[in-house]
Amino acid sequence: MKNIVILLIAGLSMQSFYAQNIADAVRYSSQDITGTARYRGASGAFGALGGDVSAINNNPAGSAIFNRSFISLSLSSGNYDNQTYYNDGITVSDETDIDLNQFGGVFVSHGAGALRKFAFSFNYDRSTDFDNGYIAVGNSGNSIGEYFSGYAQGVPLDLLELRDDESVSSLYQFLGKNESFGAQQALLGYQGYFINPDSDDLNNTSYTNAQNGNSFDQEYQYLSSGNNSRFTFNAAAQVSENLYLGINLNAHSFNFRKETIFFENAQSAANAVSSSRFDNELRSYGTGASLQLGGIYHVSPNLRIGATYDTPTYYTISEETEQYLSTEGANGNVVLAPNVTNIYEDYDLQTPGKATGSIAYIFGSNGFISFDYSYEDYTSMKYRPDNDVFFQQVNADIDNTLKGTSTYKVGGEFLSGNWSFRGGYNFKESPYQDDSILSDRSGYTLGLGYAIGSARIDIAYDWAKQTSNPRLFDGAFTNTAYVDSINTNVIATLSFQL
């Protein structure tokens, strides 16, 4: 049967749902080092260099470095390898996929006088890959009943009782339209026998967790997919013998899907629910725009410096959710499948701006070494509309939870005949003041290229490591899993001079 679609407005209805708003904002604001194999082989340290299609995303003046028109196409094979620790359990998860990672071109026109060269370019780039997954398995002293009990507080019992000829699905839909996501969670918990009201009075608003034991075998499955893509339209010029200036207009779009499945088996007869399954699905879609300004200056034939400013990206985001709960216990088997899609009112997100300084030294025709430094202030992220009381609180939490971050990238290339050999290192600080939530990220890269006439084939390998301690659910159920993540990619690029 086709899902029932309902609309939940901002404000009260969102207060219960967006408890992980900060984590969502960090996810949608983050960008991986992606692009051509040459760019990634040197860890993306191209801010003062240009001369590569993906370097345009680093510094828009980089397209004016080209002397001839140029196009490139890149494919990427990415792999995540997650080792997850949850109380007394350890699990390993990994997955590999292949994607079109980059496609772009630069078109050069030589001028006269002070404006010696013009360049116009476009580039498509998967700036972030959301494909990820892990399984947390272990024994806990806390039950998922705490999740439902926490949301139920303050919800009148009258709203959770079924009327004559009323189904769980229709009541779930009614609560979404007229009350809140939190009331929907209270309904699932009450009808699934996870919570007991303190009184049978229909005006009762206080509830107790019906899980009285202290030993629960739990399994949490997390799977996410999607990507954040950027379409860049660039214009740049060589305005003097040594100075290059450029501008980018970026169109951003992302799709993100997260599915979680939670199993719990109680080890004591003192619990109302002996076993349960709780499914949640979130689907998010966003579109946005940003601007970049950059310049490259040749201090000498060998020394180059660059500077770039990225404006914040301004996103409009749509989200929807679906849920399912089944329980088994003293009250029998219960299946709560509302078959309802919660569709939330669109909201806006402003990501941090970024400033980058770069320096590179060119060893004639033998190669280069380059260094980029970037700074982003994550406390500048803002959710809107500004008059939403919940967003005002989340923006205050952003100020207290996040911080400014530095990113360091160093890379080099050595040329020998038609062969190119590359390597690099990159490091990005955690945006959280408490880096146990999400650690710093460090990575290494290697690359190899071979030129055949006007064509070039490049390959690169990158490796990055980061740890996180994500909460399994929002609200009163505060269990976390420690995830040690290693991401690797193999990138292949085919390029042509025109």
Side-chain angles (χ1 to χ4, degrees), residues 176-190:
K177 283 184 176 180
N178 300 281
E179 296 295 331
S180 69
F181 180 84
Q184 290 178 318
Q185 306 318 289
L187 172 67
L188 295 177
Y190 179 70

Side-chain angles (χ1 to χ4, degrees), residues 109-118 238-239:
S109 175
H110 292 271
L115 297 178
R116 302 185 174 195
K117 195 191 318 178
F118 297 94
Q238 182 180 359
V239 299

Side-chain angles (χ1 to χ4, degrees), residues 138-149:
N139 184 271
S140 172
N142 304 319
S143 167
I144 188 64
E146 296 179 2
Y147 169 90
F148 298 106
S149 176

Side-chain angles (χ1 to χ4, degrees), residues 193-216:
Y193 298 103
F194 269 115
I195 59 176
N196 294 321
D198 290 354
S199 166
D200 291 335
D201 186 339
L202 293 180
N203 294 317
N204 173 79
T205 58
S206 180
Y207 300 82
T208 303
N209 181 5
Q211 300 296 83
N212 298 315
N214 59 6
S215 180
F216 303 91

Side-chain angles (χ1 to χ4, degrees), residues 105-126:
V106 178
F107 304 94
V108 179
S109 175
H110 292 271
L115 297 178
R116 302 185 174 195
K117 195 191 318 178
F118 297 94
F120 300 94
S121 62
F122 71 94
N123 190 42
Y124 163 80
D125 185 55
R126 284 172 64 103

Side-chain angles (χ1 to χ4, degrees), residues 362-415:
I362 313 299
F363 298 98
S365 60
N366 295 319
F368 66 81
I369 186 169
S370 181
F371 173 77
D372 286 6
Y373 169 79
S374 299
Y375 181 80
E376 299 172 85
D377 183 4
Y378 277 80
T379 65
S380 66
M381 288 196 304
K382 300 296 179 188
Y383 278 101
R384 293 187 174 90
D386 294 328
N387 60 356
D388 187 284
V389 175
F390 173 68
F391 284 150
Q392 291 173 2
Q393 180 59 54
V394 174
N395 290 336
D397 292 341
I398 286 174
D399 290 337
N400 296 325
T401 303
L402 303 181
K403 64 178 183 179
T405 66
S406 295
T407 301
Y408 308 87
K409 298 187 291 186
V410 59
E413 180 179 65
F414 173 73
L415 303 176

